[in-house]
Amino acid sequence: MLGLSRRELLLGSAGTATAFATGGLIGLEANAADMTLPITRFDHSIVSGEITKGIMGFGKDAPPPVLRMRQGQPFSVDVVNELNEASVVHWHGMRIPNQMDGVPYLTQTPIEPGESFRYSFTPPDAGTYWYHPHCNTLEQMARGLTGVMVVEDAEDPGFDQDLPLNIRDFRLGGDGQFIALFKPRSAARGGTLGTVSTINWNVAPVYDLPAGSLVRLRLAVTDLTRVGTYDLNGGEAEVIALDSNPLPLTAVNLKTPEGVILAPGQRADIALRVPDSEEQVVTLTRRTPKGPKVLASFHPVGASANRSLAELKPLALNPIPEADLANAEIVEFVFGWTPDGTTPEPSICGSLGYTFWSINRVAWEGDTPGPVDPLAVFKQGKSYILRLRNETQNAHPIHLHGLSFKLLRSNKRAIPPLITDTALLMKGETMEVALVADNPGNWAFHCHVIEHQKTGLTGYIRVDA
């Protein structure tokens, strides 16, 4: 890609449509979009009794709306930027055309204040996803721009209710106002944790659910930093999907809804059989050094519906190609600290002013229209094994846009053959994952601890048609 800018690549291979779906820029389509999604700024109460100023949200109210679409059905949304700064929207986990992926300069130019962009795609996979900006990422996400997205299964599995749970922290002081969104010292380590934990922007909300009913809880960790271990306590329940994909039959040990480890970007779908008695409260907790922290409670109400988990239909597998391991090419990626002397470039999409991290000894220069080489170039249709090596003492949830991969093996622990888009690398861990490079374009590849992403631990992989 030497000599070509990311802006120029928008008009080349990165902007071509894929076999999954087609999309177009706003102004090029005559038909109305399915919905309009404004990016706005407003004040809202998160901490009881206080109004937090300077929140950013999708839409005119909080929390951001749950976007629902159906597997295999076209969907379009007009994103209208009502902020006084640039933004874009990325659809985390979705295998969609590259020009719809929402990464500044890599797939599109930023949406300037007062401008709009139409995202159009047909989701090939069912499951739980989420959406967020990829421009001025840390500040915009920290102030509220993270929402849940649901792609309904082609065949209804049989739940009585579907309840998405947007799990995230805010960094607020005792007066309910934003405090420093990050600390440089923390950014160079595990990241800066939030101070107020929320579910759907509420602190420890209580949900009334019909007694004896079947509810699909969709846990989506849209937080900027926190890796957590979650427990669903009370009621009969099992994990049915992780990162939008049904659990493989061999992953029996992952079905229990206790000890579910989720990092930023990851999701878990839990089938809950609500207890019959109103006295049997179900809680979602996160483990802390001081004991379990209650994030949400679920209260049975009314006469029991007497449903059973056995009534649910198994989730259909998503149409993700299986890698040919015998003929796969091995490509190495090293996640580590940055070489000395690297400084971020000024960018319309913001910089934290520091560079701490790198991939393959190269720190991301920032979201600028200048030329940046890919970390690797893949050939469309070919199988690859990615060897992910974490040289640091910190955990890194590594996210790949536009492609899904299968976990193969680790040098630290036994891992199940999960299909995912975000793999959590523990300190010092080397993990191998496999994929088929079936979606052409330039795909961002980065840590989803946003401070790490914005201070160097970012790059991209090109898939050539």
Side-chain angles (χ1 to χ4, degrees):
M1 195 180 65
L2 289 174
L4 289 178
S5 73
R6 275 170 278 181
R7 186 183 182 94
E8 291 169 324
L9 279 170
L10 277 170
L11 305 177
S13 62
T16 58
T18 73
F20 295 117
T22 59
L25 303 180
I26 189 167
L28 300 182
E29 297 180 81
N31 297 329
D34 293 305
M35 66 176 297
T36 298
L37 187 67
I39 306 177
T40 60
R41 185 186 289 265
F42 53 83
D43 301 335
H44 179 76
S45 177
I46 296 175
V47 178
S48 178
E50 303 289 348
I51 300 296
T52 301
K53 299 183 180 300
I55 281 177
M56 293 181 181
F58 292 104
K60 304 295 185 179
D61 202 356
V66 175
L67 305 187
R68 291 186 178 271
M69 56 204 75
R70 185 166 293 277
Q71 184 180 16
Q73 298 295 316
F75 176 82
S76 61
V77 53
D78 286 342
V79 173
V80 182
N81 185 5
E82 298 181 5
L83 302 176
N84 59 0
E85 60 187 71
S87 192
V88 294
V89 180
H90 167 60
W91 316 97
H92 181 106
M94 302 197 73
R95 301 185 303 133
I96 56 178
N98 191 247
Q99 76 272 26
M100 296 292 109
D101 192 51
V103 179
Y105 301 113
L106 197 63
T107 71
Q108 69 173 97
T109 54
I111 308 172
E112 298 283 1
E115 293 186 349
S116 302
F117 187 91
R118 176 167 295 181
Y119 294 92
S120 300
F121 49 83
T122 298
D125 308 316
T128 303
Y129 303 87
W130 63 292
Y131 61 103
H132 65 85
H134 235 281
C135 182
N136 296 313
T137 314
L138 186 137
E139 178 163 0
Q140 291 186 8
M141 286 181 61
R143 290 183 177 272
L145 286 175
T146 65
V148 179
M149 186 163 50
V150 171
V151 180
E152 305 281 3
D153 301 86
E155 184 177 0
D156 183 5
F159 288 96
D160 298 304
Q161 189 171 339
D162 188 297
L163 181 56
L165 303 175
N166 184 343
I167 303 172
R168 58 159 298 158
D169 292 353
F170 289 87
R171 279 188 56 77
L172 305 177
D175 59 355
Q177 304 311 308
F178 285 106
I179 58 177
L181 301 181
F182 81 101
K183 299 177 181 179
R185 180 179 177 86
S186 298
R189 293 169 173 79
T192 308
L193 296 175
T195 61
V196 178
S197 295
T198 68
I199 297 284
N200 296 335
W201 285 35
N202 291 304
V203 177
V206 176
Y207 294 94
D208 290 337
L209 302 176
S213 64
L214 298 178
V215 178
R216 183 171 184 168
L217 301 178
R218 296 180 183 266
L219 283 62
V221 178
T222 75
D223 193 66
L224 287 74
T225 307
R226 191 184 297 276
V227 179
T229 300
Y230 299 85
D231 299 294
L232 192 69
N233 313 282
E236 185 183 358
E238 66 177 39
V239 180
I240 57 175
L242 290 170
D243 297 338
S244 307
N245 290 285
L247 286 184
L249 295 177
T250 55
V252 178
N253 61 319
L254 294 181
K255 290 188 176 181
T256 175
E258 298 177 358
V260 179
I261 299 174
L262 295 175
Q266 295 188 306
R267 297 86 68 200
D269 289 37
I270 299 177
L272 169 65
R273 199 273 185 185
V274 181
D276 296 310
S277 170
E278 295 186 356
E279 286 72 39
Q280 295 175 281
V281 176
V282 179
T283 59
L284 176 66
T285 60
R286 186 179 63 232
R287 298 178 187 180
T288 77
K290 297 180 180 180
K293 180 181 181 64
V294 176
L295 299 178
S297 300
F298 309 95
H299 289 208
V301 295
S304 177
N306 293 315
R307 296 292 306 275
S308 168
L309 288 177
E311 299 175 40
L312 295 173
K313 298 176 183 176
L315 299 179
L317 297 178
N318 286 320
I320 296 169
E322 188 78 22
D324 178 5
L325 299 181
N327 296 294
E329 179 181 341
I330 298 175
V331 184
E332 304 238 5
F333 297 94
V334 178
F335 305 95
W337 289 282
T338 185
D340 292 336
T342 304
T343 57
E345 295 288 335
S347 168
I348 191 175
C349 281
S351 164
L352 302 190
Y354 302 90
T355 302
F356 299 126
W357 306 93
S358 67
I359 304 179
N360 290 350
R361 319 298 182 198
V362 177
W364 184 246
E365 298 176 13
D367 300 318
T368 63
V372 175
D373 289 333
L375 295 165
V377 178
F378 294 168
K379 183 67 176 176
Q380 185 178 2
K382 187 174 177 179
S383 295
Y384 294 87
I385 294 174
L386 313 187
R387 183 171 292 150
L388 313 177
R389 181 153 55 95
N390 181 7
E391 288 188 337
T392 79
Q393 296 299 303
N394 303 106
H396 298 290
I398 302 301
H399 174 54
L400 176 59
H401 290 212
L403 301 165
S404 293
F405 52 84
K406 177 183 281 190
L407 308 185
L408 295 180
R409 60 188 68 91
S410 163
N411 69 332
K412 293 285 189 179
R413 53 189 166 130
I415 55 175
L418 298 177
I419 296 173
T420 180
D421 49 74
T422 307
L424 178 59
L425 292 184
M426 301 302 188
K427 66 176 184 178
E429 182 175 24
T430 297
M431 182 185 295
E432 291 186 347
V433 305
L435 60 80
V436 177
D438 60 339
N439 199 359
N442 295 318
W443 298 110
F445 189 42
H446 62 87
C447 177
H448 228 288
V449 172
I450 303 302
E451 289 156 274
H452 295 174
Q453 173 193 328
K454 293 295 288 185
T455 57
L457 218 162
T458 301
Y460 75 98
I461 293 170
R462 182 200 295 176
V463 177
D464 280 342

